[in-house]
Amino acid sequence: MTLFTAQGRGRPDTPGGPLARGRELPGDDRPPRLAAGIELLGEFKDSGFSQPPFLVRRADGQVIQMSRLLYLVASQVDGTRSADAIADAVSAGLGRTLSSEQADYLITGKLIPLGVVADPSTAAPPPRANNLLTLRARGTLLPERAANAVGTLLRPLFRGPVVITVIATVAAMDYWIFSADGLAAGFSQVLSNPADLLIVAGLLALSAVFHECGHATACRYGGARPGRIGIGLYLVWPSFFTNVTDSYRLGRAGRLRTDLGGLYFNLVFIVAMAAAYEASSAAVLLVVIAFSHLEMLEQLLPFVRFDGYFIVGDLIGVPDLFTRAAGLRRRSRILVTGWAAGAVGFLTLTLGYLLLHVPDINRALWHSASHQARLTAAAFRAGDYAAAAVGAIAAALAALSVAASLYIVVLLAQRAFAVGLRWSRGRPGRRALAMLAALALVTGLAAYWSMQGQFQGW
Amino acid sequence: MTTQLAVTMDELELEHAELLPSRETLCCVKHCGCGSYSSFNFTQIGGSTYQAGLLNVAALNGNNIAIL
């Protein structure tokens, strides 16, 4: 989250401020107007803040959270009102007196830099949020219009009786599947038949796309417009995504429905697989059902922007859990602090484990990838193309795992290097200490890896 | 005639706005972390099954490698 505080243009009561320099509204004397496509969304509903923030959406989809006063000023900017008229109208709405210079200050110092009020003096694009761990190399599977059409088409699936029926069906089916022997038979079949493994992989990919359609449909059901559904790279992993930024405009129930829509569509997919199994008795479908459950559990992780992350954020009433805790209600602050402690603990454990075992992990993955490559080549020579395809997928995934672990280590090193540089800037003593600490860490890790024999057996 | 309290400059300084991150739901084919997990990543090594991930669902074969 990028925070903007009043800055840069000079306070109206200080030398060099608008009072001293005269009007600074958008380059000329014309009344200010909102930038094209600006949508005032109103209050962020059911928020965990002591003073509920207000939301504005730009034409490029960027949503901005702002204080009530800024929102009131923005809502009075219509291309005809002068700063005086804006100040009068805001004062009436606020119950406090805002001077025209102060209104001018907020417009020029805040709303123009954010791209909320048009600035004819520059064509530079306004700033966008720098998302943590965002997707890269994005491609579109369903553009916005198609995603909305799908959402509209599938909306009936969110009607109460349908939801209850789906959940009850899956509960009953799970009891039957996990208490019978069908699952073990399905796994045995899949492991012995590469073609079945390809079917499982294909159906799970389809399930992932359907999961994203669930988010889009839930967003549409609540009255917001989903953006595109696509595929990109999360670190190094292929990942499907849906842009549901517009769900910020919904209340807590609507946002939670959007968060849970993907998991709900996983249940719908499971019901469809069960129906197909009933018709075909293909045990491989039971494996798909089992793995769909695991995918759902994975999605409930409250970290790294899985569905669980959004669910936790919406239950607390905070649009971004990485936000500063200032301004939160006591209960929300405690919950956000608890989440942050959990996230730090989770990351420390997982990243610490990774650092301590990087050579070990990559040795196993490398052996796996090279073994699969040999199996793939042998299967291809023997004309067993299904086995060759399975081997190729497995080899690629193992190789991706190697790339992912190395990429994460490089990211960590870069981040630590940047922090060290910032901490020791202009302080030779600190700089020497930082270099010593880095040297000690690298030496310690190398010694640990060596003592553990992690460099052997490659 | 009512007298409204004027907004002070200190209050004005506290006015803030934040760019919210886009809400993008993710569904990884294989989620990241120190290890990794794929719903369909069976990698057979000499008859045993290797799986990297939070859950070792390949326990059917025994002799597994599981990475958290």
Side-chain angles (χ1 to χ4, degrees), chain A residues 247-429:
Chain A
S247 63
Y248 277 130
R249 72 168 72 224
L250 303 177
R252 177 179 284 144
R255 295 195 302 268
L256 280 171
R257 188 190 296 111
T258 304
D259 302 336
L260 291 165
L263 292 174
Y264 173 61
F265 266 41
N266 279 128
L267 296 181
V268 175
F269 189 82
I270 286 170
V271 170
M273 289 297 101
Y277 173 74
E278 182 64 25
S280 67
S281 298
V284 65
L285 297 173
L286 298 181
V287 177
V288 175
I289 290 172
F291 278 131
S292 294
H293 281 77
L294 294 178
E295 280 189 347
M296 292 173 67
L297 284 175
E298 180 190 55
Q299 281 293 336
L300 285 172
L301 278 174
F303 310 112
V304 289
R305 300 197 189 281
F306 284 118
D307 292 352
Y309 167 83
F310 292 107
I311 291 168
V312 170
D314 285 328
L315 284 173
I316 299 175
V318 176
D320 181 8
L321 285 169
F322 295 101
T323 189
R324 65 210 167 87
L328 291 175
R329 289 192 187 121
R330 184 168 177 273
R331 175 180 165 275
S332 303
R333 194 166 58 244
I334 291 170
L335 291 172
V336 169
T337 304
W339 174 85
V344 168
F346 176 80
L347 288 174
T348 303
L349 279 177
T350 52
L351 294 178
Y353 184 91
L354 173 67
L355 278 179
L356 289 175
H357 298 279
V358 167
D360 237 356
I361 292 168
N362 283 306
R363 180 178 56 199
L365 289 168
W366 180 251
H367 284 173
S368 170
S370 50
H371 182 73
Q372 285 301 325
R374 284 194 296 275
L375 289 180
T376 302
F380 194 78
R381 279 195 298 273
D384 188 352
Y385 298 116
V390 169
I393 292 172
L397 289 176
L400 268 181
S401 298
V402 173
S405 65
L406 296 178
Y407 183 59
I408 291 168
V409 169
V410 168
L411 278 182
L412 279 177
Q414 281 180 335
R415 185 60 62 93
F417 187 70
V419 168
L421 274 184
R422 202 164 48 243
W423 179 70
S424 62
R425 183 167 294 132
R427 308 277 291 271

Side-chain angles (χ1 to χ4, degrees), chain A residues 55-69:
Chain A
L55 302 177
V56 171
R57 182 182 168 129
R58 290 197 319 234
D60 61 359
Q62 174 66 57
V63 175
I64 302 160
Q65 170 185 289
M66 59 180 63
S67 53
R68 180 167 174 247
L69 177 55

Side-chain angles (χ1 to χ4, degrees), chain A residues 24 61 84 149 157-158 198 226 243 269 291 298 357 403 433 439 441:
Chain A
E24 271 198 353
D84 287 340
L157 286 172
F158 278 96
L198 284 180
N243 188 324
F269 189 82
F291 278 131
E298 180 190 55
H357 298 279
L433 194 62
L439 191 66
L441 182 65

